[in-house]
Amino acid sequence: MGSGQWMVEKRSGLENDSFLKEHETPSESGCLSIIVLGASGDLAKKKTFPALYHLYRQGFLHPDEVHIFGYARTRISDDELRDRIRGYLGKEAEVVSKFLQLIKYVSGSYDTEDGFQLLDKEISQHEVSKNSAEGSSRRLFYLALPPSVYPTVCRMIRKCCMNKSDHGGWTRIVIEKPFGKDLESAENLSAHIGELFEEAQLFRIDHYLGKELVQNLLVLRFANRFFLPLWNRDNISNVQIVFRENFGTEGRGGYFDEYGIIRDIIQNHLLQILCLVAMEKPVSLKPEYIRDEKVKVLQSVLPIRDEDVVLGQYEGYRDDPTVPDQSNTPTFATVVLRIHNERWEGVPFILKAGKALNSSKAEIRVQFKDVPGDIFKCQKQGRNEFVIRLQPSEAMYMKLTVKQPGLEMSTVQSELDLSYMQRYQGVPIPEAYERLILDTIRGDQQHFVRRDELKAAWEIFTPLLHRIDNGEIKPKEYQPGSRGPVEADELLAKAGYVQTHGYIWIPPTL
Ligand code: NDP
Ligand code: BG6
């Protein structure tokens, strides 16, 4: 059996689902080179190489066909790179060292041809040594680099490192966010890269799209009769999409200050989730149909009003030596978006993200309207909410009112709880990067951001971002370890969110 077939077969074994198999990309074979550009960096070490390791360990990257290359300017040997990443991989020493042997490091600059010619030579040598059937090589370039170098690096890849086979194969480019800083810069970047590569070769990664519960959203919404009649303005009062981190920008202050929380989290991760929560049912699961529906949602978002925004900056943020003393960059933001369409008119979508807060979590909170004719006088106890906890402790729970057990007829808030740790004991939840790299190898773009989607996302936020950049809107100071500025809670209440007091969902433990 050819190793390419082997990979597809492995997948079939995992997914005993004929419907999904129907949507599988055609079998692709040939030698696979994965090239991590920026291999000396933080993302490569913490996310990219570990994701590749886990794919390898699970049999998705076969040593007979795969070789991994690291490329960066830093002058280190193969072994030095291996030592840098070893500690981030896993505990199975033998598997780790076999995986590390697949990695070769090439040092070179990002803007001259020499390094890329050397890289191409190394890849070609590997292809010749491994490629049984002449040609049909696959080259996956992962840009774990600062966005400032994307244009030159893409030009160099195009010039020096493309798959040269006449017998099939491909060259694909994975680009990390941020894709630009505003509409104009993103469009320039897209135009530049678009001249070099076809859209089908470009995989703009938003790792939130690889998270288990984000991937579950479409199944949940469109495979369950429960939700179909409820998921609209008649029943839903408001939707919150929340990201919180209980640590600051430690170690990334320089990068962060240039971007801020809206560009770092809201314009991409949270907005992508909003699309999946709000979009209409696609014609089928074909990636283009799904992305078409996401674009429609984005195009229906109304311009953001100043009164629908609260910005914050945590006290001490500017003490970071890489952050300017006068920085106006928000480390916290609540932004209320409104979707002008038949399903969502009048329903606020509250996007909230912050660093250095009192907890770390990401969740979607769909709050339903009050029950009309409240004969139990239980409205004060709280509304029905459907909560999707993306992390930590992946779960979906439905907050609802029940009779308090006992002789009295009184009511209490409780929940129907699908906690993954309990329900799917022992089933490992893959890392987002693992899935997305595998999707790239398979050529499945469903969970990647299309060019028009990116443009629509920047159209929503660019006017607000420019006002912040010009210092026209100032962030409020908040204490590290707090909930963020109090004004954010006031905005939440103004948008119609009714907080339940005295009820806390506690993730079950085993
Ligand atoms: P790093 O700052 O660690 O940069 C990666 C590598 O790029 C460095 O090791 C360095 O390699 C090279 N590099 C750094 N600065 C420059 C520069 N000014 N010009 C040319 N080369 C440079 O970045 P990260 O690994 O943190 O991030 C990479 C990409 O991934 C970025 O786009 C980032 O926004 C994105 N990202 C990062 C996340 C993270 O957790 N780190 C999370 C999500 C996205 P050398 O000097 O050896 O060439
Ligand atoms: C990245 C942001 O995209 O996502 C970081 O640049 C943030 O600032 C990170 O910490 C959060 O990712 P996760 O998967 O840990 O929630």
Side-chain angles (χ1 to χ4, degrees), residues 453-465:
E453 209 177 332
L454 178 65
K455 178 168 183 264
W458 279 118
E459 275 166 351
I460 296 170
F461 284 100
T462 295
L464 171 65
L465 288 165

Side-chain angles (χ1 to χ4, degrees), residues 352-368:
K352 179 161 128 183
K355 301 249 175 199
L357 296 178
N358 56 350
S359 62
S360 284
K361 66 176 177 183
E363 65 185 19
I364 306 164
R365 188 170 288 271
V366 180
Q367 186 172 75
F368 288 83

